[in-house]
Amino acid sequence: MQTVLVDGNLEMPNKAYLSFGATGTVTEVLVSEGDNVTKDEVLARLDAPSLNSSVKTAELQVQIVQEQVEVAQAQYEASSTDIAEANWETAKLNLEIAKLNLESAKLNLDKAVIVAPFDGVVADISITEGEEISTAALATPAISLVDTGEMEMKGYIDELDVATVKLNQEANITLDALPDEEVKGSVTFISPIGTVRAGIVSYATTITLENPIAELKDGMSATAEVVVERRDDVLLIPNTVIQGTLENPKVVVLAGGKQEERQITLGLSDGFNTEVLSGLEEGEEVVVPAPTSTQGTGSFFGR
């Protein structure tokens, strides 16, 4: 198995910073931090008398114009004159205008209510009941909402590795804060534009987590091991037992109670274990070389 390491951080991509769209007094805050809410659930309300008044006025205007339409229609049906027809058409147009004004007034009234745009968890509340919301305060989020069911890892791929990483390749993700947990994911985005970081060109990537566990938090440091090539039913040996050079790798095999040096052909490596293509059979016992001052770990990977 050949892998590429990607360092980065977890991120919950579906967040909403919700604000009122009108000024007034906060009359109700219907949720608390940490509450689970559903889409279209009302989270908070303002007392906005002018907006309520505008809706009532618009509703009355629709009723008045509706009656004018009925009168104009009756006059036209009684006389069928051009003037009567024109009056009827004008009344119908006025009714459409009145309905549009009512719709606009209701939309403005909706700005006095904060509604959840999706299922999620209330992450922060910065308003209290009785608080006056001024025009300046409209730009400040009143309630922050996050969808904890979706989690991504944002990171960067080195330019030397980016050509081997493809969309939908699987990844094994480990976390500094939860070292015993390993989460599965897959590559869902690779930026076509390089970014220079500390003098090295790298490419932003997104890895979407599969079935994220509840302990995962936005911002956690993470490392993803992206599987760029996998082979099944292969013979693997630890890198620490490989000796020789990259061009001429060897291992020492214990056969019949004696040590025998064996030349081997290597395949893919994940940095810890390496595939053996030839020169060694399954079940043969390989000797781990003793470290020396010049040899280090005894592995040619460390030279």
Side-chain angles (χ1 to χ4, degrees), residues 172-203:
N172 300 313
I173 301 165
T174 55
L175 303 120
D176 293 349
L178 301 168
D180 296 330
E181 297 288 347
E182 185 176 277
V183 183
K184 300 292 185 181
S186 61
V187 179
T188 52
F189 172 75
I190 304 171
S191 176
I193 301 174
T195 301
V196 179
R197 303 166 67 242
I200 299 174
V201 178
S202 56
Y203 294 81

Side-chain angles (χ1 to χ4, degrees), residues 16-219:
Y17 302 99
L18 308 173
S19 303
F20 290 110
T23 59
T25 304
V26 179
T27 56
E28 290 182 298
V29 178
L30 302 171
V31 292
S32 301
E33 292 179 354
D35 283 356
N36 289 289
V37 299
T38 57
K39 183 179 179 181
D40 297 328
E41 181 178 341
V42 176
L43 309 181
R45 285 192 178 93
L46 281 181
D47 179 19
S50 62
L51 297 180
N52 282 298
S53 177
S54 295
V55 171
K56 292 179 180 179
T57 299
E59 288 173 341
L60 289 174
Q61 187 64 28
V62 169
Q63 293 177 12
I64 292 171
V65 179
Q66 179 65 55
E67 292 175 359
Q68 292 174 349
V69 169
E70 293 172 359
V71 171
Q73 181 180 1
Q75 290 177 344
Y76 171 71
E77 291 173 350
S79 62
S80 299
T81 64
D82 291 342
I83 294 177
E85 182 179 9
N87 288 339
W88 184 25
E89 293 299 326
T90 299
K92 287 191 288 185
L93 287 174
N94 288 337
L95 179 59
E96 292 301 317
I97 294 172
K99 288 180 178 179
L100 289 174
N101 288 337
L102 175 58
E103 183 178 345
S104 178
K106 288 182 176 179
L107 288 174
N108 286 332
L109 183 59
D110 288 343
K111 295 178 181 179
V113 179
I114 294 179
V115 177
F118 52 77
D119 295 351
V121 175
V122 177
D124 183 64
I125 300 175
S126 62
I127 56 171
T128 57
E129 292 184 359
E131 179 182 348
E132 289 292 331
I133 303 298
S134 64
T135 302
L138 296 179
T140 303
I143 296 176
S144 298
L145 189 66
V146 63
D147 181 1
T148 58
E150 292 186 39
M151 184 76 74
E152 295 176 343
M153 175 186 162
K154 300 287 188 179
Y156 288 88
I157 304 173
D158 188 278
E159 64 175 328
L160 298 178
D161 297 321
V162 71
T164 64
V165 180
K166 310 295 181 186
L167 294 180
N168 300 318
Q169 286 176 333
E170 66 178 87
N172 300 313
I173 301 165
T174 55
L175 303 120
D176 293 349
L178 301 168
D180 296 330
E181 297 288 347
E182 185 176 277
V183 183
K184 300 292 185 181
S186 61
V187 179
T188 52
F189 172 75
I190 304 171
S191 176
I193 301 174
T195 301
V196 179
R197 303 166 67 242
I200 299 174
V201 178
S202 56
Y203 294 81
T205 186
T206 300
I207 297 172
T208 300
L209 277 61
E210 301 171 2
N211 301 321
I213 59 177
E215 290 80 8
L216 300 184
K217 306 295 183 184
D218 187 281

